Amino acid sequence: MVWGNWTIVSEFVLVSFSALPPELQILLFLLFLIIYFVTFTGNVLIILVTTVDSALHSPMYFFLKNLSFLEISFNMVIVPKMLTTLMTKDTTISFLGCATQMYFFFFFGAAECCLLATMAYDRYVAICDSLRYPVLMDQKACVQLAAASWFSGFPVATVQTTWIFSFPFCGPNRLNHFFCDSPPVIALVCADTSLFELEALTATVLFILFPFLLILGSYVQILSTIFRMPSAEGKHKAFSTCSSHLVVVSLFYSTAILTYFRPRSNTSPENKKLLSLFYTVVTPMLNPIIYSLRNNEVKAALQRTLRKALRSQKL
């Protein structure tokens, strides 16, 4: 379709992993399918056990449940289309489909950054201001913090996606990525995008770097408080309550910062795909595993839930 001097693009072609041999693409499909199944199952188990087990009805596990909902949603935005691309060789995605995928990628990505910061604040209050913890983190406050984390994704997703897809696209429609991320889409725009790129950098700082700095500040205070505790047992108990979250934050933010804050000239498209795979596919799978293996309360709750399920089946 041509409108004036512009070619109106009606669909994009995802380059994805098409450069790899077919045999390797099949192996990747099987690997990503297994990871997708493990991710979904693990996060559903976290949601289930934090809902049915009364021992986990606390702010920390309320936020963990929200994180699992986010991980499932975030994963569903990316992986099904990627699996379809690998299996059917249909690498096209419609203009509207691309915009929709990008919108929800921004929405859930920004929400997860803010939720991880909220979880760090919860641990900060629990360890550094434990006497006021029941008051500061009551049910109403937890719901408001979780809702604010979810809603934070709305403005950035709306502004970014609307702005990007209001630009003209001249005809080249091959996206060198496995999903509709902002940089490869912007590379196909036939107009000056400098103002948008400035806004995108501002949004990235606000929704990736700023929450990360809040998390970093919280853990500086947390570690300072832990080191001042007189008993070794108290130190171990306090650190064990936040170690899982610290590992999850490290995994998520290390790859996100490397992806969006490195100069373009220093990052090849293939390297960016590998980094993107980590925070879109691998990290959502690792989160429930990390919380299950490193948290004795979650492990005990999982065992109780499984025993109840087995007893109910026998009856």
Side-chain angles (χ1 to χ4, degrees):
M1 297 174 62
V2 178
W3 178 43
N5 293 327
W6 301 113
T7 302
I8 300 177
V9 173
S10 60
E11 65 181 17
F12 294 98
V13 176
L14 295 169
V15 173
S16 191
F17 306 100
S18 58
L20 298 175
E23 299 81 6
L24 189 53
Q25 290 187 50
I26 293 173
L27 288 176
L28 283 178
F29 170 82
L30 294 173
L31 175 63
F32 293 150
L33 183 63
I34 292 169
I35 291 175
Y36 185 60
F37 176 77
V38 172
T39 300
F40 184 81
T41 305
N43 282 290
V44 166
L45 280 174
I46 292 290
I47 293 168
L48 178 65
V49 74
T50 53
T51 300
V52 302
D53 197 297
S54 58
L56 300 185
H57 289 176
S58 66
M60 182 171 72
Y61 297 110
F62 170 75
F63 293 127
L64 176 58
K65 186 196 306 185
N66 276 268
L67 180 63
S68 290
F69 272 117
L70 266 175
E71 296 290 25
I72 291 172
S73 304
F74 190 66
N75 212 233
M76 288 179 67
V77 171
I78 306 296
V79 179
K81 179 59 182 176
M82 182 174 65
L83 291 174
T84 303
T85 301
L86 284 167
M87 191 62 184
T88 65
K89 310 303 178 187
D90 179 13
T91 61
T92 61
I93 183 170
S94 68
F95 191 87
L96 179 60
C98 188
T100 302
Q101 187 183 54
M102 185 183 292
Y103 180 90
F104 285 107
F105 169 73
F106 283 142
F107 181 90
F108 294 124
E112 182 162 349
C113 290
C114 293
L115 184 62
L116 288 172
T118 299
M119 294 172 77
Y121 172 73
D122 170 68
R123 291 299 84 208
Y124 164 78
V125 177
I127 294 172
C128 301
D129 198 2
S130 56
L131 293 178
R132 294 201 300 159
Y133 182 69
V135 177
L136 293 175
M137 299 301 293
D138 61 6
Q139 185 178 11
K140 181 180 178 181
C142 291
V143 171
Q144 289 175 339
L145 286 169
S149 298
W150 280 89
F151 180 76
S152 66
F154 176 75
V156 65
T158 303
V159 172
Q160 295 270 82
T161 308
T162 304
W163 198 342
I164 288 174
F165 286 91
S166 66
F167 283 119
F169 292 86
C170 311
N173 63 344
R174 289 174 61 83
L175 290 175
N176 195 5
H177 214 332
F178 57 88
F179 72 99
C180 288
D181 197 3
S182 172
V185 174
I186 282 294
L188 303 180
V189 169
C190 300
D192 181 14
T193 60
S194 55
L195 185 60
F196 169 81
E197 290 177 25
L198 179 61
E199 183 275 335
L201 179 61
T202 304
T204 303
V205 169
L206 285 175
F207 290 95
I208 295 182
L209 192 58
F210 184 64
F212 176 72
L213 292 176
L214 288 177
I215 293 169
L216 193 62
S218 297
Y219 274 104
V220 168
Q221 294 296 320
I222 288 169
L223 292 175
S224 176
T225 302
I226 290 175
F227 289 140
R228 291 198 303 268
M229 290 179 176
S231 69
E233 183 182 352
K235 290 179 181 179
H236 175 73
K237 184 178 180 181
F239 187 73
S240 65
T241 63
C242 56
S243 59
S244 298
H245 178 255
L246 194 55
V247 173
V248 167
V249 166
S250 301
L251 290 172
F252 180 82
Y253 273 100
S254 60
T255 51
I257 289 173
L258 283 172
T259 301
Y260 292 104
F261 283 96
R262 289 177 66 183
R264 292 183 182 180
S265 58
N266 294 346
T267 308
S268 70
E270 301 309 315
N271 285 340
K272 185 167 183 180
K273 286 180 192 177
L274 289 175
L275 289 170
S276 299
L277 273 175
F278 201 87
Y279 69 81
T280 59
V281 179
V282 178
T283 302
M285 176 193 70
L286 292 177
N287 287 357
I289 296 173
I290 291 167
Y291 274 101
S292 299
L293 294 179
R294 298 183 62 88
N295 190 303
N296 291 328
E297 289 182 326
V298 173
K299 285 191 285 188
L302 281 170
Q303 291 171 0
R304 288 193 296 268
T305 303
L306 289 173
R307 282 198 296 267
K308 288 179 183 178
L310 290 173
R311 281 200 298 268
S312 64
Q313 284 184 350
K314 289 179 180 178
L315 294 174

